[in-house]
Amino acid sequence: MRIGNKDFDVKNKTYIMGILNVTPDSFSDGGKWKDQDAALRHAEEMIADGAAVIDIGGESTRPGHRQISDEEEIDRVAPVIRAVKAHFDVPVSVDTYKAKVAKAAIQAGADLVNDIWGLKYDPQMAGLIAGAGVACCLMHNKDKAEYENFYPDILQETAECVRIAREAGIARDKIILDPGVGFGKDCAMNLETVHYMERFHTLGYPLLLGTSRKSFIGLTLDLPADQREEGTMVTTVMAVMKKYAFVRVHDVKANARAVRMTEAILAAGEE
């Protein structure tokens, strides 16, 4: 799979997507990187620590978040995307579900659109991505954690995201899927999603796991957001074992080490 000017071996390796929130109210690191110079320093640190993609978000999507205008979101993300692309040779993802924001981000240099609504929020998004020829990550999400048959339902609902993408003309090799841990699911559902996450391979696309510091880890371990890295790393190891192509994390260095160690152990078993 090609993202920007980089090729990714999505069948045999797990890559780190480093989170760069340029928001004042992100659930775990709100306000730390909203200044452009601070954002650039953090991007540089994450790349040095092993991030293969930098995911830039301008609106918090934590439970109970305040939705901001397209213009405010563009003002937050576009200059940072432009600066990261100017300073570093790294693919950049924009974390947005709004086509107007995605368009501005792509114009600023974004190589991938990470849509937490899997093309189901903004009807213009799929066509925009197809026309731009960029990659996309489509996440499972829904308004309420209500299902008739949980795992078959989330697979079917994610397959619907794929259908929207393909009918809009998004190339097959430009699609990544995300099971949507922390979105439209309660704590028990999130644990089940991770436990059986290999089932998403039946959809036939590279997979991304985004669990970093999320509330199901905090609820399970009774820990605040800034103390959830060990729990996050457990899910990262499981993602490698279950052949996920990407993990989206805040703490790049620790998770990159966990990925390398897990890959080494798995490779030893294949000799």
Side-chain angles (χ1 to χ4, degrees):
M1 181 178 200
R2 193 165 183 84
I3 304 173
N5 65 348
K6 303 290 185 182
D7 290 316
F8 291 81
D9 181 1
V10 294
K11 291 186 177 180
N12 299 299
K13 288 183 63 64
T14 301
Y15 298 92
I16 300 286
M17 177 183 279
I19 299 169
L20 180 56
N21 288 315
V22 288
T23 61
D25 58 345
S26 174
F27 79 96
S28 68
D29 58 358
K32 288 176 99 173
W33 320 118
K34 64 179 182 176
D35 171 77
Q36 184 169 304
D37 288 340
L40 278 174
R41 286 194 300 272
H42 190 49
E44 183 176 27
E45 178 184 29
M46 288 194 290
I47 294 164
D49 288 342
V53 180
I54 301 297
D55 188 51
I56 298 174
E59 178 182 272
S60 173
T61 53
R62 75 186 195 284
H65 74 281
R66 176 184 71 87
Q67 189 176 54
I68 62 175
S69 69
D70 292 0
E71 289 72 24
E72 185 175 358
E73 191 173 349
I74 290 168
D75 287 345
R76 290 178 182 179
V77 299
V80 176
I81 293 169
R82 198 172 292 113
V84 170
K85 293 298 292 186
H87 285 81
F88 309 110
D89 182 24
V90 64
V92 168
S93 166
V94 61
D95 181 3
T96 189
Y97 51 92
K98 305 168 188 173
K100 187 174 180 181
V101 177
K103 181 178 181 179
I106 292 166
Q107 290 172 342
D111 307 292
L112 186 154
V113 176
N114 185 10
D115 184 350
I116 65 165
W117 282 102
L119 308 177
K120 294 180 179 179
Y121 178 87
D122 190 330
Q124 304 301 313
M125 184 68 97
L128 171 74
I129 293 169
V134 296
C136 61
C137 182
L138 311 180
M139 194 185 82
H140 173 268
N141 201 348
K142 65 191 307 181
D143 289 319
K144 295 182 180 179
E146 297 175 356
Y147 303 87
E148 290 186 16
N149 195 351
F150 176 62
Y151 233 100
D153 285 358
I154 63 173
L155 288 171
Q156 186 278 322
E157 289 161 6
T158 307
E160 177 66 12
C161 298
V162 174
R163 183 194 64 78
I164 294 168
R166 299 293 286 131
E167 288 185 356
I170 298 175
R172 183 177 182 85
D173 64 356
K174 294 294 185 182
I175 298 172
I176 302 164
L177 301 180
D178 177 344
V181 173
F183 291 83
K185 303 166 187 71
D186 61 25
C187 183
M189 291 171 179
N190 286 317
L191 290 168
E192 184 177 352
T193 300
V194 175
H195 182 84
Y196 294 111
M197 61 180 161
E198 72 278 3
R199 293 180 180 177
F200 273 80
H201 284 298
T202 63
L203 298 174
Y205 291 86
L207 302 175
L208 177 148
L209 186 69
T211 59
S212 189
R213 302 181 185 174
K214 287 187 174 176
S215 62
F216 84 107
I217 298 173
L219 290 168
T220 301
L221 301 178
D222 191 23
L223 290 172
D226 63 354
Q227 295 181 37
R228 298 174 186 169
E229 282 311 319
E230 297 94 340
T232 300
M233 288 168 66
V234 170
T235 66
T236 290
V237 170
M238 292 183 69
V240 178
M241 295 178 71
K242 296 190 177 189
K243 302 298 183 183
Y244 270 54
F246 301 92
V247 288
R248 180 182 179 272
V249 298
H250 297 85
D251 188 343
V252 170
K253 181 182 287 185
N255 283 278
R257 289 173 175 173
V259 168
R260 293 204 311 272
M261 192 68 204
T262 308
E263 288 182 337
I265 293 169
L266 293 175
E270 294 169 358
E271 292 178 355

